[in-house]
Amino acid sequence: QVQLVESGGGSAQAGGSLNLTCIVSGHPYSSGCMGWFRQAPGKKPQGVAGIGIGSDGSPIYAPSVKDRFTISQDNAKNTLYLQMNNLIPEDTAMYYCAASPLDCVVVVVAPQGFGSRGQGTQVTVAS
């Protein structure tokens, strides 16, 4: 079983930046996707970004965050990151680090496919 612990959320002004961190421990999937999804109050979960496990493939981003957010991982530190730049108020949500045995192309579109997730970290962007 994999354990995921997020940090780095907080408040920012529109146009600002935040960097989320996820510490991964336990037994991650040998293949599939590590990524982030978010959920705003009263809204469905939305996939944000994903990066393949044990893959050299390019990360996958939701259209709403492409060119603003960057997902990366440090395998030596068992850590996943989400650098968020040029934040907008619509980015306000609880952000979850997640893992799935499914391909990133699947779970970034349908985040219910993430089998494991952390407790979440709140991101609030003021206009």
Side-chain angles (χ1 to χ4, degrees):
Q1 185 174 355
V2 60
Q3 290 82 45
L4 307 163
V5 179
E6 307 94 335
S7 63
S11 298
Q13 293 292 319
S17 299
L18 287 171
N19 188 29
L20 306 184
T21 298
C22 175
I23 305 297
V24 183
S25 61
H27 301 283
Y29 301 111
S30 58
S31 64
C33 184
M34 291 295 302
W36 298 86
F37 72 92
R38 65 189 182 187
Q39 187 168 20
K43 294 189 176 181
K44 295 180 179 179
Q46 179 191 26
V48 174
I51 191 166
I53 297 172
S55 169
D56 293 331
S58 299
I60 302 295
Y61 296 96
S64 59
V65 307
K66 189 173 174 60
D67 298 327
R68 299 190 298 121
F69 291 10
T70 301
I71 187 172
S72 62
Q73 60 186 349
D74 186 334
N75 291 324
K77 296 182 179 180
N78 293 325
T79 303
L80 185 72
Y81 303 98
L82 185 69
Q83 176 65 44
M84 305 186 295
N85 297 328
N86 195 19
L87 287 162
I88 59 178
E90 290 76 15
D91 293 323
T92 295
M94 185 72 79
Y95 282 71
Y96 297 92
C97 175
S100 173
L102 305 176
D103 193 273
C104 289
V105 173
V106 174
V107 292
V108 172
V109 173
Q112 62 269 26
F114 280 113
S116 303
R117 73 174 198 186
Q119 293 298 308
T121 186
Q122 177 67 37
V123 170
T124 302
V125 183
S127 58

